[in-house]
Each structure stands twice: as structure tokens, then as C-alpha cells.
Amino acid sequence: MAVIDELVEASRQHRLNFTGGQLPMPPRRRVAIVTCMDARILPSRILELDIGDAHVIRNAGGRAADAVRSLVISQELLGTREVAVIHHTDCGMLTFTNESLRAKVKSDLGVEGSSIDFLPFTNVEQSVRDDVGLLRASRLIPIDIPIRGFVYDVHSGALTEVV
Amino acid sequence: MAVIDELVEASRQHRLNFTGGQLPMPPRRRVAIVTCMDARILPSRILELDIGDAHVIRNAGGRAADAVRSLVISQELLGTREVAVIHHTDCGMLTFTNESLRAKVKSDLGVEGSSIDFLPFTNVEQSVRDDVGLLRASRLIPIDIPIRGFVYDVHSGALTEVV
């Protein structure tokens, strides 16, 4: 059985117990979270987010460069007023370089991946500082939106503010 | 009190009850979910995903174009073997056009946003078909990776396969 079939089956149970169907589109708590796709990160559990509370933007590394389009929509159209960038320890982005992944893509898939910046990093606190800096400097993010950066420790469950 | 301060406070409670600190980096169920940042979507609740199960990639609309970088990392380095693209009813992406949002960005922020494609859509089933098609056609996604597309109904809690 494909894993996705198991997820579809799980969603049937979810539907039976579903509440929250009348919630509006804008996030109730007016906050956007930018974090990694990592399987050990469950934002709703870590931050006690309920249905309808917050926008959650996730990609490999929780990189801000991939999140600007979404943040403009979140702020301009749906009223969010704070941003938290959360990277984490033991992140996959610490395990490769653009050169090594491009070589692997070429070897495995026969594709020259040299046009893609996979946005790896070598230090998770520095990547948080870089990404918060990118957003604070962006003219597409209003100057009065607080942007704060954190590291989540996947081994201890602790969230630590970096910037 | 800033909302982010409330989230930090919530994370302290999470840490006290935390289990799962020994989980490895690769997702246990070897699946990647691509879905929208919408506040009404809690993937872990809808799909009964536990900590460590799945990569979750989220952006405005759940658009595949924003997810390719992350999916390459997910598949090439962390072993995921299935992809589910999940868009949803009552999505913010149905409420604007590139032209209208660029005009609002210019009016609100004084920035010419004309270089950004905000990736809006006018039909949620078609956007799922488009994005599954984009990933199936991508040479960066192995041909043997199943890619399936769904619409989640935020009013009923139902998940329906489209493609």
C-alpha cells in the first residue's frame, strides 16, 4: 500500500471529527512562520498553533529567499503582522554544497542542475541571521513588521531566539 | 504582548513534554507533502502525520514551482519516494491577479513588483493538475516517483483526489 493511500485513509477519520469549517481565510493570530520541511518539525505542536491561527511557510532549510512571494501575499492580502524564521539543528542543509548536490543530480538524473541554487548553509545560527537580514532589508516587507529568528533543537525540543 | 512571545512561551511547555529527540533526519514514511501556507490547514492533523514521518513543503497556494528545489533535496538526499500536492477550497490565490497585487504592492510599499510572479490561480482543481503536471514533467524528479494531486475542502475537512 502506498503511503499516500494511508494518508488518504487517515483523512477520512479527520473529516468525521472535523471542526473549524467556519473559520475565515485570514490567520486569527496574524503571524507567519517560516521554517524547514524537516519531518521532525511539527509547527502546530511546537508552537501550540490551532487551526486558523497562523500562516506556515516551509521549504528545505526554511530559507527566506523562497518565502518572499508567500510573505507578500500573507501581509498584503491576509493581514499578518509578525514573522518568525525558525531553522533547526541537524538540518539536511548542513550536509551538502551546491557543487556536491549538482554532481549527484547529474549522476542520478542525467540533468545539469547548475542553474539551481539549493541554498545550503554551514552554520544554522548564521543562516537564521542571514534570512532575517534578507527579510528586514526587503522593500517588499513593511518596515513595521517585526521579524525574529530562532533555532529549534530537534534533539531537546527547545526553541532559542537568535536575532 | 507580541504573538511570537506567546509562541515562545508555548514552546517551553512543548519542550517539557518533548519526545522524539532520537529520530533520524530522513522521513520515516518517505513521503513529501506540498501544500498551502493557509492557517486552516494542519497537515499533521489532516493526514495523521507524527513527528518524523514526512517532509512538509508549504507556500502561498502550495505551488510546485516554489517546491522543486526542496523536492530535489528531499528525494536526492533524504530518500522520499512519493509526493502529494494538496491545494484547497477558499484559497487566497483565487482572490487576486498578478496585476492587482502588483498594483497594491506599488500603492502600499512604493515598490514596483512587476518582476514577481505571485502564482495566483482561478480554479483550484486546475491548479492541482497544473502543478502535478509540472512535477511529472520535471527532469529533476525521478520518473518512478508517484506524484498525486488533491483538493482539501476547508469547510468540510474532506480530501479529494484530483489527479
Side-chain angles (χ1 to χ4, degrees):
Chain A
M1 189 177 186
V3 171
I4 292 177
D5 287 321
E6 297 172 0
L7 302 184
V8 170
E9 190 60 37
S11 78
R12 294 205 181 94
Q13 194 59 42
H14 162 78
R15 184 186 189 172
L16 292 178
N17 303 322
F18 182 68
T19 56
Q22 300 311 312
L23 287 167
M25 191 186 296
R28 186 175 65 83
R29 297 174 77 182
R30 304 182 73 180
V31 64
I33 312 296
V34 178
T35 193
C36 186
M37 68 179 177
D38 192 283
R40 296 164 293 182
I41 297 184
L42 268 62
S44 60
R45 201 180 292 183
I46 297 169
L47 305 171
E48 291 183 9
L49 295 173
D50 203 357
I51 179 173
D53 274 355
H55 280 152
V56 181
I57 299 160
R58 302 180 64 178
N59 60 57
R63 300 313 310 259
D66 260 14
V68 172
R69 175 187 71 86
S70 298
L71 286 172
V72 172
I73 293 167
S74 177
Q75 292 162 1
E76 287 293 302
L77 299 177
L78 293 162
T80 61
R81 303 294 301 164
E82 297 178 54
V83 179
V85 174
I86 305 175
H87 294 182
H88 66 95
T89 60
D90 197 36
C91 185
M93 307 301 282
L94 295 159
T95 67
F96 69 94
T97 62
N98 267 325
E99 292 64 32
S100 70
L101 183 49
R102 286 172 188 158
K104 184 162 168 51
V105 164
K106 186 174 179 186
S107 165
D108 290 355
L109 305 172
V111 178
E112 293 283 357
S114 57
S115 68
I116 295 186
D117 183 350
F118 291 103
L119 304 174
F121 47 76
T122 57
N123 179 297
V124 69
E125 293 194 6
Q126 189 57 48
S127 68
V128 171
R129 285 193 195 94
D130 291 345
D131 282 9
V132 167
L134 183 153
L135 296 178
R136 286 181 181 164
S138 174
R139 295 179 61 211
L140 290 164
I141 311 290
I143 194 79
D144 61 338
I145 299 257
I147 302 166
R148 295 163 63 177
F150 300 83
V151 172
Y152 175 71
D153 184 327
V154 296
H155 298 306
S156 73
L159 185 70
T160 304
E161 189 153 11
V162 171
V163 58
Chain B
M1 189 178 186
V3 171
I4 291 176
D5 288 321
E6 297 172 0
L7 303 184
V8 170
E9 190 59 38
S11 77
R12 295 207 179 93
Q13 193 60 43
H14 161 79
R15 182 185 189 174
L16 293 177
N17 304 320
F18 181 67
T19 56
Q22 299 312 313
L23 287 167
M25 192 188 292
R28 187 176 65 84
R29 298 175 75 182
R30 303 182 72 180
V31 64
I33 312 296
V34 178
T35 193
C36 185
M37 66 179 178
D38 192 282
R40 296 163 295 182
I41 297 184
L42 268 61
S44 60
R45 200 179 292 182
I46 297 170
L47 305 171
E48 291 183 9
L49 295 173
D50 203 357
I51 180 172
D53 275 355
H55 279 151
V56 181
I57 299 159
R58 302 180 65 177
N59 60 57
R63 300 314 307 262
D66 261 14
V68 171
R69 175 185 71 86
S70 298
L71 286 172
V72 171
I73 293 166
S74 177
Q75 292 162 1
E76 287 292 305
L77 299 178
L78 293 162
T80 61
R81 303 294 302 164
E82 298 179 54
V83 179
V85 175
I86 305 175
H87 294 181
H88 65 95
T89 61
D90 196 36
C91 185
M93 307 301 282
L94 295 159
T95 67
F96 69 93
T97 63
N98 267 325
E99 292 65 34
S100 70
L101 183 49
R102 287 170 188 159
K104 185 164 167 49
V105 165
K106 184 175 180 188
S107 164
D108 290 354
L109 305 173
V111 178
E112 293 282 355
S114 57
S115 68
I116 296 185
D117 183 352
F118 290 102
L119 304 174
F121 47 75
T122 58
N123 179 298
V124 69
E125 294 194 3
Q126 189 57 48
S127 68
V128 171
R129 286 193 193 92
D130 291 346
D131 282 8
V132 167
L134 182 153
L135 296 178
R136 287 181 179 163
S138 173
R139 294 177 61 211
L140 291 165
I141 311 289
I143 194 78
D144 60 338
I145 299 258
I147 302 166
R148 296 162 63 176
F150 299 83
V151 171
Y152 176 71
D153 185 326
V154 295
H155 298 306
S156 74
L159 185 70
T160 304
E161 189 153 10
V162 171
V163 58

